[in-house]
Every structure is written in structure tokens, then in C-alpha cells.
Amino acid sequence: YKVKHWKQKIGGKSNLHNEANYILVETENFIGTTDTTVTPSVKSYTGFIAPEVDTLNIDADGNATLNYYYIRDSFVIRYHGNGADSGNMNDQSFLYEEEVTISDNLFTREHYRFVNWNTQSDGSGVAYAPGEIKLLTDNLDLYAQWALTSAPVKVEHFKQNIDKTYNTTPDDEVSLLGKIDETITPEV
């Protein structure tokens, strides 16, 4: 008797057990006693879910075949705002070894611009760009990485005393919003 092991193809329908949806990866040939029932073991393939163990009656003609169909495991990409003020992103589902396009950022953060995604919240991991196509084999958490675009600036005005000294506290304060890497000139 034979035991055939089939893996689901990329894009293959898991419920249709045929060569259009599955690829034969291994055939095992066994010798057994006619008119007996055997329970062949399933295999373990990385990224695939093994089927339930099944039984097979061994025919006298030796043509008994048991087919095991392994479906691709499913995973998700989770997108995190990482300090975002607003926005929401749904998890992105994919199957093992399926090409996935990294999503555009839908989060916003005041005074910041989005730079890229990263596998670590502090940016020390692997960077991913929106639109990038990746072949993934496991769950993935991506954290928005931000660059400051503007920052509050406080301008303090001190008036000189008659003795030409200055007070330790300002006589007037003005709060401005400055863009990063630009010079601002406050009013006097």
C-alpha cells in the first residue's frame, strides 16, 4: 500500500484535494497483510497543519492508497501606532510562505512624520517600508517609526535692570512651534 503526502500550493484551495491545489511532496510504499486495517502516521512539515490520522484497508491487489493533505498555516501582521495620536489598522492575514505587501501607515502623530515600520518599537529591529513585498513564514508585529517634524519653542524675554543685571525669571514668555532644522526668529 501507499501513503501520499500533499502540501497545499500558494493560492490553492484547502478544501479541494487535487493537483491544481496541492503538490505531492512524498510517497511512502509499505508492505502489509491483505484485508487488514493500518493507521499510517502523518508527517510534520514546517508551516503546514497536519491532517488527522486516518485508517486504510489493505486490498489484495496492492493498490490501496491513503492521501494526506497538509494545509498552509495562517499568520498575521499586527500594526502598532507606537505613540500615534489617532488611526487604526486591522491585522493583515497571510498563509505560510505567501508574498505579502506591507501596508501603508494609517496612524497619525502630531508634530511627527511616519518614517517606516520596524519589528521593534525602539527601531532597533528589522525595518519594513510600506508597499514592500515580503515572503513571510511567521506572525509579525510592526511598529510605526516616527521622526519629529516640529517642536514647541519657548522664548523668554529678560529686561535689563538699572544696575545692568537681569532677573532670574523672565519678564515675558512666548511659546512658538518651530519646524525641525529651520531657524525661527521671534519678535522682540
Side-chain angles (χ1 to χ4, degrees):
Y1 67 97
K2 292 181 183 180
V3 178
K4 293 184 177 183
H5 301 273
W6 300 79
K7 285 184 180 179
Q8 181 186 9
K9 293 180 178 179
I10 293 282
K13 295 182 182 348
S14 63
N15 61 335
L16 297 177
H17 297 159
N18 57 38
E19 290 183 5
N21 295 295
Y22 285 85
I23 185 167
L24 180 63
V25 292
E26 192 172 348
T27 300
E28 297 176 292
N29 294 303
F30 296 99
I31 297 174
T33 305
T34 302
D35 294 325
T36 61
T37 300
V38 293
T39 308
S41 299
V42 294
K43 300 281 185 171
S44 177
Y45 296 109
T46 300
F48 290 83
I49 300 169
E52 294 292 323
V53 175
D54 204 352
T55 59
L56 177 70
N57 291 320
I58 301 175
D59 299 332
D61 64 5
N63 289 329
T65 300
L66 177 61
N67 292 294
Y68 279 134
Y69 294 92
Y70 299 78
I71 62 171
R72 289 181 181 275
D73 205 351
S74 61
F75 300 101
V76 295
I77 299 175
R78 284 179 294 279
Y79 295 93
H80 303 275
N82 199 22
D85 301 319
S86 64
N88 185 37
M89 295 187 67
N90 294 326
D91 291 348
Q92 186 177 359
S93 298
F94 63 95
L95 297 176
Y96 178 76
E97 292 183 329
E98 183 178 32
E99 285 188 344
V100 180
T101 302
I102 303 300
S103 292
D104 290 332
N105 172 47
L106 301 178
F107 296 110
T108 59
R109 187 173 178 187
E110 189 175 12
H111 307 300
Y112 287 83
R113 69 175 171 75
F114 174 79
V115 177
N116 63 16
W117 297 107
N118 198 288
T119 56
Q120 298 295 317
S121 60
D122 65 1
S124 64
V126 178
Y128 290 87
E132 190 173 349
I133 297 172
K134 288 293 185 182
L135 183 71
L136 299 175
T137 58
D138 204 351
N139 291 323
L140 183 64
D141 283 284
L142 292 178
Y143 298 87
Q145 299 300 298
W146 303 99
L148 197 59
T149 57
S150 58
V153 177
K154 182 168 63 171
V155 180
E156 299 177 333
H157 295 275
F158 295 87
K159 294 180 186 174
Q160 188 177 36
N161 298 322
I162 292 180
D163 63 358
K164 298 190 180 191
T165 62
Y166 293 91
N167 294 329
T168 56
T169 57
D171 295 300
D172 188 28
E173 289 183 10
V174 176
S175 292
L176 303 171
L177 189 62
K179 294 189 186 260
I180 300 301
D181 296 328
E182 287 186 11
T183 303
I184 61 168
T185 306
E187 292 181 20
V188 180

